[in-house]
């Protein structure tokens, strides 16, 4: 599903964010990406959703060599990858419904499909009753649920989540994890960067640790392995 071969990423200012990363993530895996701040986790994820391109090496996602993608093919890749951020990144002037529908509108989904599918995913995330609320009227956990609904609405093969529980209290975080597990159960491949030791050590999954731009550990059902 996701394959990196000797991937290097150097930013224009000379920072070496990734230094020779090779990894294979199979369809339907759930992977935690751990490591200190500045290790390269966000860069790893940005390369997957094609926010950044590698300086060297190859990345394929869902069979596409995405480093070499023609610009007109980028929307196609984006619809196959859902992205969830720590700070939710909802559009503040749009309702919950509109925030989720917007992701279908940008890929020009047929209008009649949009209403049905948006209500379906809002039900899945437990927010059908809040369709007409604005993000500011919701709790943090609810806002993250909206962001997850938006990420899955186009039925992507891959979900990339960059510290999705980073702004949430522990109880709310477990709710978000239940939801991500459900989405994984339904077939999505999930890559989640996290500093949440308790979650990683309790909901055991594959753990890939990155330090200084290099994979230093890759274990099935691994542990968090850091103090904080
Ligand atoms: P993490 O997500 O693990 O905190 P990042 O991928 O954000 O790590 O950062 C890896 C390294 O790349 C850090 O040294 C960071 O300062 C640098 N970096 C990240 N983004 C940029 C950027 N846009 N421009 C320059 N350097 C960057
Ligand atoms: P938060 O994550 O915001 O702290 P909850 O996890 O309890 O709070 O869920 C947010 C909202 O969604 C609440 O109003 C809750 O009643 C509702 N909710 C949560 N899960 C479901 C579900 N599976 N079905 C229906 N409603 C749900």
């Amino acid at each position: 599903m996701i394959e990196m071969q000797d991937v290097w990423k150097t930013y224009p200012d000379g920072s070496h964010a990734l230094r020779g990363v090779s990894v294979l993530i199979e369809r339907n895996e759930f992977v935690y990406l751990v490591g200190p701040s500045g290790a390269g986790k966000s860069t790893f994820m940005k390369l997957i959703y094609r926010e950044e391109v590698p300086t060297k090496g190859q990345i394929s996602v869902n069979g596409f060599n995405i480093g070499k993608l023609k610009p007109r093919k980028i929307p196609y890749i984006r619809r196959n990858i859902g992205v969830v951020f720590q700070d939710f990144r909802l559009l503040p002037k749009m309702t919950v419904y509109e925030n989720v529908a917007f992701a279908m509108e940008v890929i020009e989904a047929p209008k009649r499909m949009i209403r049905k599918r948006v209500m379906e995913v809002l039900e899945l995330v437990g927010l059908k009753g809040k369709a007409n609320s604005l993000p500011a009227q919701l709790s943090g956990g609810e806002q993250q649920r909206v962001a997850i609904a938006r990420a899955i609405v186009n039925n992507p093969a891959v979900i990339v989540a960059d510290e999705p529980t980073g702004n949430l209290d522990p109880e709310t975080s477990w709710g978000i994890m239940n939801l991500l597990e459900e989405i994984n159960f339904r077939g999505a491949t999930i890559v989640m960067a996290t500093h949440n030791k308790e979650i990683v050590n309790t909901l055991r999954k594959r753990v890939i640790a990155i330090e200084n731009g290099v994979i230093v550990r890759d274990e099935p059902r691994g542990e968090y392995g850091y103090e904080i």
Side-chain angles (χ1 to χ4, degrees), residues 13 32 52 112 163 168:
D13 69 353
Y32 295 125
E52 296 288 350
R112 63 188 157 73
E163 296 198 44
L168 305 176

Side-chain angles (χ1 to χ4, degrees), residues 123-127 130 139-142 145 172 175-176:
E123 177 153 35
L124 174 67
V125 303
L127 287 177
K130 306 251 165 146
S139 70
E142 289 172 329
R145 286 168 186 271
T172 307
I176 292 299

Side-chain angles (χ1 to χ4, degrees), residues 28 124-125 148-149 152 156 159 176-190:
N28 211 9
L124 174 67
V125 303
I148 291 172
I152 65 174
I159 303 285
I176 292 299
M177 289 311 297
N178 286 340
L179 186 54
L180 291 174
E181 287 202 301
E182 173 67 24
I183 291 162
N184 177 239
F185 177 76
R186 291 174 182 227
T189 305
I190 300 189

